[in-house]
């Protein structure tokens, strides 16, 4: 009943937002835009101070609304059915629906007047996301790096709490067996937290599209980077299906074994994303696989606010492989464009030039600094060397939910830079500034890093170059629809994995469950999907050859 009510309210919210679209103007002369992002997020207060400062500079502001109680496809479907949209939209994995519905304007018809937008990605990268009509309809807003500044990894890893590592004397963890062996031993010796709350040794997020936390580690375990939906064999330049490799079987057999031992959280396959985040925020969970962006910022702040960071509950990443001697490629440096979705301007926007100018202005050096660092002498200080840093009080403010609602406006789903700030001196964000990053770490993480001889999360994993011009392949598979045989297979493969992989982990007879899964998986005709992915790989290689 609660979920049904939440979904109903979400429908009303989305319809209300669409009705408000059009790029109006307030009494103060500030243009007011609306945006909907089909992902969970936190709204800011209407009197947010940073938003007001940005509006004073740009002459515009944007009311952002986020996904609540629906899937991205459901929310986008509601908008399409109504035929009215907010000014800006990111449809997440339903972006292709927006394009096919004719809801987005071709941005490249306008961008000659907005050089920061046009130059946000290279010509070659823009060409990768042109639709069949030759136009670009959205701006991939993440992964654009001015110059690599590697501190926080946004990527995937096997994570484990600092208290577990400290208890074991900070061991070197390389393989799947070593990782789970440590969790088993710690749990046996420390079944509860200090207050008697039972630990959860290992949990898995499987909610909706986030089931990558369960299903895609085999590609990493075999030493391949995050192409997401497939492996690219660089010796043959052929697509490989990681779902059925020998390593995939060993990985799921290990999960099955750990479940039988009571190590894996029995709620793994039923918990929602919000329940998962709440669980991690209690400090009870010893380990999991996840992308840092999916949990890190929210959970780290929650642990800090509750004092659990002082009890070793922060998470440390490891680039686990299936066997020793395999080079791990969990982290890939450099600008990585995920063209499957991004920020679009809708046909309901009545001021397209104004909307584009707003994006252009958000990429200016002055506004970039406001979005990421805040206000000088209020949110950060500047040293004699020109480097930005924060005081302990300023760091505490940025972890405070109420403070952020009133005094942080990152416009996080609009395009922004990673790596270096446009000033060429500072990092684009506090967590990317080496000195500030380390000073802001909790003592448990610092102690852990010192033990391993590193100063950043990235150094815990190691940095790998982008493997080739095709990378990442998930930017294609994420936009596949049932309009093609490969898209039909991709959809069906996902449905089967959602249904059968939990059974594989929970089964008292792994071999039977695994064989049943493989039989069902084969019925989805994965060969159709792999064939289309091979065609896309070949096309990307051919496009890259044009620019050599």
């Amino acid at each position: 009943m609660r979920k049904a009510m939440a979904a109903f309210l979400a429908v009303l919210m989305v319809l209300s937002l669409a009705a408000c679209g059009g790029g109006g103007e307030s009494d103060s002369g500030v243009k007011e835009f609306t945006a909907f992002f089909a992902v969970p997020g936190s709204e800011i207060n209407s009197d947010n101070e940073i938003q007001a400062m940005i509006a004073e500079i740009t002459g515009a502001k944007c009311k952002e609304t986020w996904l609540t109680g629906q899937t991205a496809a459901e929310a986008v479907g509601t908008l399409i059915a109504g035929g009215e949209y907010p000014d800006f939209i990111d449809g997440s994995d339903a972006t292709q629906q927006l394009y096919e519905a004719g809801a987005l304007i071709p941005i490249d018809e306008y961008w000659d007047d907005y050089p920061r937008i046009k130059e946000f990605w290279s010509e070659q990268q823009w060409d990768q996301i042109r639709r069949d009509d030759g136009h670009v309809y959205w701006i991939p807003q993440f992964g654009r790096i001015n110059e690599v500044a590697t501190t926080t990894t946004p990527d995937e890893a096997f994570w484990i709490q600092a208290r577990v590592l400290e208890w074991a004397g900070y061991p070197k963890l390389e393989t799947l067996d070593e990782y789970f062996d440590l969790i088993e031993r710690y749990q046996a010796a420390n079944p509860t937290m200090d207050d008697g709350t039972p630990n959860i040794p290992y949990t898995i997020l499987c909610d909706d599209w986030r089931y990558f936390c369960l299903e895609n580690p085999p590609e990493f375990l075999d030493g391949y980077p995050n192409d997401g939906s497939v492996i690219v064999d660089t010796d043959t330049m052929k697509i490989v299906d990681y779902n059925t490799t020998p390593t995939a079987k060993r990985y799921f057999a290990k999960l099955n074994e750990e479940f039988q031992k009571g190590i894996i959280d029995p709620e793994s396959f039923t918990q929602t994303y919000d329940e998962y985040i709440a669980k991690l925020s209690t400090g009870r969970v010893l380990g999991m696989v996840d992308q840092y962006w999916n949990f890190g910022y929210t959970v780290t702040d929650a642990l800090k606010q509750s004092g659990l960071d002082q009890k070793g509950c922060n998470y440390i990443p490891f680039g686990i492989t299936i066997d020793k001697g395999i080079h791990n490629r969990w982290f890939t440096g450099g600008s990585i464009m995920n063209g499957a979705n991004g920020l679009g301007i809708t046909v309901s926007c009545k001021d397209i030039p104004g909307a584009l100018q707003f994006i252009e202005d958000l990429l200016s050096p002055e506004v970039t600094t406001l979005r990421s660092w805040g206000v000088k002498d209020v949110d950060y200080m500047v040293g004699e060397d020109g480097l930005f840093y924060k005081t302990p009080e300023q760091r505490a403010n940025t972890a405070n939910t109420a403070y952020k609602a009133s005094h942080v406006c990152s416009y996080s789903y609009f395009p922004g830079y990673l790596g270096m700030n446009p000033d060429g001196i500072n990092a684009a964000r506090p967590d990317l500034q080496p000195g500030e990053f380390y000073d802001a770490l909790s003592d448990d993480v610092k102690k852990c890093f010192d033990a391993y001889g590193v100063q950043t999360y990235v150094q815990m994993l190691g940095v790998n170059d982008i493997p080739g011009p095709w990378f990442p392949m998930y930017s294609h598979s994420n936009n596949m629809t049932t309009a093609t045989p490969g898209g039909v297979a991709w959809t069906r493969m996902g449905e089967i994995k959602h249904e059968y992989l939990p059974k594989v982990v929970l089964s008292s007879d792994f071999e039977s469950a695994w064989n049943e899964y493989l039989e069902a998986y084969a019925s989805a005709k994965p060969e159709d999907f792999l064939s289309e992915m091979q065609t896309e790989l070949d096309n990307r290689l051919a496009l890259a050859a044009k620019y050599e």
Side-chain angles (χ1 to χ4, degrees):
M1 182 66 181
R2 284 185 300 172
K3 287 186 178 180
M5 179 58 71
F8 173 71
L9 292 174
V11 171
L12 292 180
M13 174 200 70
V14 172
L15 291 175
S16 173
L17 179 65
C20 294
E25 191 169 295
S26 68
D27 293 339
S28 64
V30 172
K31 293 181 179 181
E32 295 186 348
F33 295 101
T34 57
F36 173 65
F37 308 120
V39 295
S42 299
E43 294 190 28
I44 62 176
N45 294 345
S46 59
D47 60 350
N48 183 281
E49 296 166 326
I50 300 293
Q51 186 179 57
M53 291 179 184
I54 293 174
E56 187 175 344
I57 297 168
T58 65
K61 64 190 299 186
C62 184
K63 168 65 176 174
E64 300 176 313
T65 305
W66 307 82
L67 191 67
T68 305
Q70 292 178 292
T71 66
E74 289 168 343
V76 167
T78 298
L79 288 170
I80 292 172
E84 292 290 333
Y85 306 93
D87 300 303
F88 300 103
I89 194 165
D90 183 331
S92 187
D93 57 356
T95 295
Q96 187 69 15
Q97 289 178 237
L98 289 165
Y99 167 69
E100 292 174 353
L104 306 175
I105 64 113
I107 292 170
D108 59 312
E109 287 190 350
Y110 302 86
W111 67 17
D112 284 343
D113 295 326
Y114 309 96
R116 292 192 188 103
I117 294 176
K118 186 176 182 180
E119 295 166 10
F120 191 71
W121 296 106
S122 71
E123 184 178 353
Q124 179 180 342
Q125 288 167 317
W126 286 123
D127 282 347
Q128 287 183 13
I129 63 169
R130 291 185 185 278
R131 301 296 93 188
D132 292 340
D133 63 4
H135 289 299
V136 172
Y137 287 88
W138 55 82
I139 307 169
Q141 64 271 70
F142 307 115
R144 172 64 167 84
I145 297 177
N146 281 333
E147 181 182 332
V148 177
T150 49
T151 51
T152 300
T153 170
D155 292 348
E156 198 162 349
F158 273 88
W159 299 84
I160 192 166
Q161 285 187 325
R163 59 176 169 141
V164 180
L165 298 169
E166 181 178 19
W167 173 84
Y170 300 107
K172 185 177 181 180
L173 299 179
E174 296 181 273
T175 68
L176 191 65
D177 287 339
E178 290 174 346
Y179 175 84
F180 276 111
D181 176 69
L182 175 54
I183 286 180
E184 286 181 37
R185 290 188 290 111
Y186 181 87
Q187 178 66 8
N190 308 273
T192 68
M193 300 178 71
D194 291 344
D195 63 359
T197 304
N199 288 323
I200 298 172
Y202 187 87
T203 196
I204 308 170
L205 177 61
C206 300
D207 189 17
D208 196 32
W209 56 270
R210 290 181 173 88
Y211 80 118
F212 61 77
C213 298
L214 169 67
E215 62 90 23
N216 79 345
E219 67 178 331
F220 295 110
L221 291 171
D222 265 335
Y224 289 95
N226 189 19
D227 271 303
S229 52
V230 292
I231 285 172
V232 175
D233 185 332
T234 53
D235 290 332
T236 62
M237 295 314 301
K238 297 297 182 184
I239 293 292
V240 176
D241 186 354
Y242 65 71
N243 294 289
T244 56
T245 62
T247 292
K249 182 177 181 180
R250 287 176 61 185
Y251 162 70
F252 284 105
K254 187 64 178 178
L255 294 185
N256 177 275
E257 174 190 335
E258 296 301 327
F259 179 79
Q260 306 306 326
K261 293 178 179 179
I263 296 300
I264 291 182
D265 178 11
E267 296 178 353
S268 290
F269 306 112
T270 56
Q271 64 189 345
T272 65
Y273 173 69
D274 288 342
E275 290 168 342
Y276 166 81
I277 292 297
K279 191 175 290 183
L280 295 185
S281 298
T282 66
R284 300 173 60 200
V285 178
L286 304 183
M288 73 287 177
V289 167
D290 204 348
Q291 303 256 359
Y292 186 82
W293 55 260
N294 196 42
F295 79 93
Y297 302 105
T298 302
V299 171
T300 299
D301 284 350
L303 295 173
K304 186 174 294 185
Q305 285 190 279
S306 62
L308 288 168
D309 60 323
Q310 300 301 316
K311 297 184 177 181
C313 293
N314 277 303
Y315 292 97
I316 308 297
F318 280 85
I320 298 299
T321 56
I322 195 66
D323 291 313
K324 288 183 182 293
I326 298 175
H327 176 72
N328 101 72
R329 289 182 174 82
W330 285 79
F331 179 76
T332 302
S335 291
I336 299 172
M337 185 187 74
N338 174 13
N341 54 274
L343 183 74
I345 298 173
T346 75
V347 294
S348 293
C349 180
K350 295 181 175 61
D351 184 6
I352 294 172
L356 286 163
Q357 188 62 53
F358 183 59
I359 300 172
E360 181 83 359
D361 291 341
L362 289 180
L363 292 171
S364 69
E366 182 180 9
V367 179
T368 291
T369 300
L370 273 174
R371 291 170 64 189
S372 56
W373 283 91
V375 180
K376 180 178 176 290
D377 295 332
V378 175
D379 300 302
Y380 69 96
M381 313 300 289
V382 182
E384 293 182 359
D385 55 2
L387 290 174
F388 299 170
Y389 67 95
K390 289 177 178 280
T391 66
E393 181 181 1
Q394 289 167 343
R395 293 185 195 115
N397 285 339
T398 56
N400 184 288
T401 303
Y403 184 88
K404 288 190 289 186
S406 296
H407 193 78
V408 173
C409 179
S410 63
Y411 282 125
S412 60
Y413 260 67
F414 282 82
Y417 299 109
L418 294 174
M420 296 301 294
N421 188 291
D423 67 10
I425 301 173
N426 293 283
R429 297 191 319 228
D431 63 327
L432 298 176
Q433 187 95 316
E436 173 56 31
F437 166 79
Y438 188 79
D439 289 344
L441 291 174
S442 297
D443 290 342
D444 62 337
V445 180
K446 286 182 180 178
K447 189 174 181 180
C448 182
F449 282 177
D450 289 345
Y452 286 105
V454 303
Q455 288 192 310
T456 70
Y457 290 104
V458 168
Q459 289 172 358
M460 284 294 300
L461 295 174
V463 180
N464 298 282
D465 293 333
I466 292 174
W470 70 84
F471 187 79
M473 291 302 296
Y474 63 74
S475 64
H476 180 72
S477 56
N478 283 3
N479 258 345
M480 295 180 81
T481 71
T482 52
T484 67
V488 172
W490 175 238
T491 298
R492 184 63 182 138
M493 287 159 60
E495 292 170 347
I496 288 171
K497 286 192 282 187
H498 271 292
E499 178 182 356
Y500 282 88
L501 289 180
K503 296 178 183 178
V504 167
V505 176
L506 300 175
S507 177
S508 58
D509 184 348
F510 172 77
E511 287 293 336
S512 294
W514 181 253
N515 290 333
E516 185 179 352
Y517 160 62
L518 291 183
E519 183 178 350
Y521 184 79
S523 72
K525 297 186 176 180
E527 63 273 13
D528 290 344
F529 165 71
L530 298 171
S531 175
E532 289 188 22
M533 292 298 285
Q534 183 67 53
T535 298
E536 177 63 17
L537 173 62
D538 295 341
N539 289 341
R540 291 186 179 190
L541 292 171
L543 176 63
K546 290 184 179 180
Y547 288 90
E548 290 180 352

